Amino acid sequence: MFKKVLIANRGEVAVRVIRACREIGIPTVAVYSDADADSLHVSLATEAYCIGPAESAKSYLNIPAIISTALISGADAIHPGYGFMSERADFADVCTQHGFAFIGPTAESIRRMGDKAQARETMKSKDIPITPGTDIITDIKAAKKMCRKIGYPVIVKATAGGGGKGMRIVEKEEDLEENIVFCKTEAQRFFGNPAVYIEKYLVNPRHIEVQILADKFGNVVYLGERDCSIQRRHQKLIEEAPSPAVNEKVREKLGKTAVKVAKAVKYEGVGTVEFLLDKNNDFYFMEMNTRLQVEHGISEMITNIDIVREQIRIAAGLPLSITQRDISIKGHAIECRINAEDPDRNFLPAAGTITGYIAPGGFGVRVDSHVYSGYKIPPYYDSMISKLMCWAPTREEARRRMYRALKEYVITGVKTTLPFYQDLIEDEVFTEGKFDTGFLEEYNKRKAEKNNLQ
Ligand code: ADP
């Protein structure tokens, strides 16, 4: 097992990894920016080093600073968390070149899956269903021709994209060129790579993803699916596991397909295979996230498997501690991502000091967070401040428990999305579980109509 793990990240994920290391008995090294000196991950880690100023480019994305801290502290492994360096193949390469184990997949897998167009090619060659689409767009005329063939609406996507950036839905041919140009510009700005391709846009599918674990000996297991269809601007707000729309037969098919995807790239580590599921229960590969995901906790709750612990064990060269037969799904779990944002002002990020903080608790409630009373939320990073997860034997009980926990949660001093979730969790369509990725738009419309009537 590793002697010391450096966590190249901040916030709740750094805390999550430190907790897993502590339970295994591995000392940890936190790195932090000037803006994060008072962050919980800094005080929880065995050692902590400041690696630069607030801007991510000069701290959490600063490879020389991270590697030299690993060398100085005597760490032998680096955990990238999610976001920041987690899907940077060059970082994985640099870690291994300097003799550190990268707690994640090989740089080669990150590369193959990080390029969405290339990942689609790989899947096509392995007979894994993908949405109809194009290769990288080089010529607008050819793109128009392809789109006519696949039929509108289509979605233009950056091959290096993520977090909903570099993506545009196009309803008709007249708008195609303009949107391609827009996505290319955004892709260049956010990912340093302007390449875009086009997919058929499925109208209101479900976003269903499968959590997989793969060791270095070719063993791959799946931990059931998560439904992440409640999204705002293609970004997840609520996730649940299992999906209310997936039956046993489809679950097995999804799981086996996800394992096939992982095997296609000789994947090692924890990963998530994302699919779009249509009304006929047909599903299509969308992408593979080659890292730990924000919403991994709800899969842990329904399977009783500590995903981060398995991830560290895999990177240390140990075989999976479970086989597919050991995995069964018990109950239902829901997660709300609590952000420091003002839901009444179009989710405007709200930095500032948390003056009061009381987290909910009780049976089946889990709060993963790095904040506390008196914590100053820096304006430089992601606005997520907490993940509230609730487990119960049935979906309805989990939903009611979530409502109870949301009502119990006190965060004062900054605006948060708590009131937004308190409303949403009581919504009749959400309660029935009959939603898709179009939910939020339709929900907002219904709310506006109600307000007009009052
Ligand atoms: P990112 O990597 O930026 O998160 P994804 O490719 O994972 O982007 O897509 C994010 C979301 O966008 C999906 O969960 C889904 O709601 C929507 N989406 C993406 N591709 C399609 C498609 N072909 N048809 C319909 N919706 C799509």
Side-chain angles (χ1 to χ4, degrees):
M1 192 31 86
F2 301 124
K3 286 201 292 290
K4 204 184 258 188
V5 172
L6 179 141
I7 299 106
N9 213 304
R10 65 178 300 279
E12 78 80 24
V13 71
V15 172
R16 172 70 187 93
V17 176
I18 292 169
R19 285 180 172 148
C21 289
R22 275 191 148 181
E23 289 172 13
I24 304 172
I26 312 171
T28 48
V29 180
V31 294
Y32 62 96
S33 73
D34 283 339
D36 271 340
D38 296 326
S39 194
L40 193 59
H41 78 285
V42 175
S43 52
L44 282 185
T46 324
E47 296 164 51
Y49 298 84
C50 181
I51 52 163
E55 304 104 277
S56 308
K58 293 182 178 160
S59 49
Y60 299 108
L61 297 173
N62 181 345
I63 298 182
I66 294 168
I67 295 294
S68 49
T69 308
L71 286 167
I72 292 164
S73 63
D76 53 354
I78 298 180
H79 195 303
Y82 52 70
F84 292 128
M85 310 293 259
S86 60
E87 286 177 296
R88 291 263 308 261
D90 57 338
F91 181 62
D93 270 338
V94 173
C95 288
T96 34
Q97 280 156 12
H98 284 79
F100 302 110
F102 177 75
I103 306 181
T106 59
E108 166 67 11
S109 300
I110 301 177
R111 256 182 213 114
R112 284 184 74 179
M113 287 302 191
D115 183 310
K116 291 188 188 193
Q118 195 189 339
R120 280 167 61 85
E121 273 310 304
T122 309
M123 296 310 131
K124 215 156 98 185
S125 72
K126 302 281 175 186
D127 286 330
I128 287 158
I130 56 171
T131 46
T134 68
D135 291 331
I136 289 171
I137 305 293
T138 47
D139 163 29
I140 188 73
K141 247 189 176 165
K144 279 186 178 166
K145 207 168 146 198
M146 266 309 285
C147 289
R148 244 174 261 160
K149 210 166 125 198
I150 45 184
Y152 287 85
V154 297
I155 183 165
V156 184
K157 284 190 182 182
T159 66
K165 297 271 178 334
M167 226 157 70
R168 271 289 178 96
I169 300 159
V170 186
E171 303 283 348
K172 48 188 192 309
E173 190 172 299
E174 298 94 278
D175 301 334
L176 187 65
E177 188 163 0
E178 177 194 324
N179 281 293
I180 290 177
V181 172
F182 172 88
C183 288
K184 273 177 167 292
T185 315
E186 197 167 82
Q188 176 63 41
R189 184 150 59 95
F190 282 97
F191 315 110
N193 174 359
V196 298
Y197 70 101
I198 291 170
E199 277 178 35
K200 166 103 188 145
Y201 185 68
L202 305 180
V203 178
N204 298 345
R206 283 202 179 229
H207 172 120
I208 305 288
E209 55 183 41
V210 180
Q211 176 72 56
I212 62 110
L213 308 177
D215 67 18
K216 293 183 193 290
F217 307 96
N219 304 306
V220 189
V221 297
Y222 60 92
L223 306 188
E225 80 285 354
R226 296 185 286 257
D227 192 321
C228 311
S229 304
I230 311 275
Q231 305 177 346
R232 179 176 174 270
R233 297 189 177 159
H234 305 301
Q235 290 199 39
K236 299 160 189 169
L237 295 173
I238 297 187
E239 301 97 347
E240 57 182 289
S243 166
V246 169
N247 61 34
E248 220 27 78
K249 218 171 123 197
V250 178
R251 174 162 307 121
E252 194 180 329
K253 209 168 149 197
L254 277 161
K256 287 189 168 158
T257 308
V259 168
K260 203 168 151 191
V261 168
K263 287 191 168 168
V265 292
K266 297 196 174 60
Y267 194 79
E268 289 170 12
V270 314
T272 298
V273 185
E274 296 189 336
F275 297 100
L276 291 174
L277 178 78
D278 70 14
K279 306 269 181 298
N280 307 319
N281 275 340
D282 288 324
F283 54 83
Y284 306 90
F285 169 86
M286 191 162 44
E287 65 169 338
M288 180 168 189
N289 286 324
T290 54
R291 55 174 165 84
L292 184 70
Q293 273 189 301
V294 172
E295 60 272 25
H296 73 277
I298 53 171
S299 299
E300 296 183 323
M301 287 176 121
I302 60 158
T303 58
N304 240 333
I305 292 165
D306 183 331
I307 293 172
V308 180
R309 185 190 176 91
E310 286 300 322
Q311 185 184 29
I312 295 168
R313 286 174 48 93
I314 293 165
L318 296 169
L320 286 178
S321 62
I322 38 172
T323 64
Q324 195 63 53
R325 281 172 142 208
D326 303 323
I327 299 163
S328 62
I329 288 166
K330 210 168 173 196
H332 199 95
I334 304 177
E335 171 177 271
C336 291
R337 299 185 183 198
I338 315 295
N339 287 357
E341 290 172 355
D342 186 352
D344 292 332
R345 290 174 66 199
N346 208 16
F347 293 81
L348 187 76
T353 302
I354 295 178
T355 51
Y357 184 81
I358 306 168
F363 184 48
V365 176
R366 169 173 166 184
V367 180
D368 277 18
S369 172
H370 59 290
V371 310
Y372 51 85
S373 190
Y375 176 76
K376 200 168 165 214
I377 303 167
Y380 311 100
Y381 314 109
D382 193 270
S383 54
M384 193 177 76
I385 50 170
S386 159
K387 304 186 313 195
L388 174 58
M389 294 165 256
C390 290
W391 178 91
T394 63
R395 181 177 190 271
E396 180 53 13
E397 288 164 294
R399 190 190 67 80
R400 292 172 75 123
R401 181 164 284 162
M402 179 57 88
Y403 182 69
R404 186 271 287 173
L406 284 164
K407 285 285 185 187
E408 219 174 281
Y409 213 154
V410 179
I411 306 174
T412 55
V414 289
K415 293 273 184 198
T416 72
T417 47
L418 275 173
F420 166 80
Y421 287 115
Q422 285 163 355
D423 271 0
L424 198 156
I425 215 79
E426 286 276 89
D427 179 65
E428 67 228 40
V429 177
F430 179 77
T431 302
E432 280 178 29
K434 290 194 177 130
F435 50 78
D436 51 45
T437 54
F439 171 85
L440 201 73
E441 209 174 312
E442 178 263 339
Y443 168 77
N444 285 337
K445 247 188 230 158
R446 270 191 291 124
K447 262 184 78 170
E449 271 166 26
K450 240 187 229 166
N451 288 343
N452 280 344
L453 285 177
Q454 277 166 4

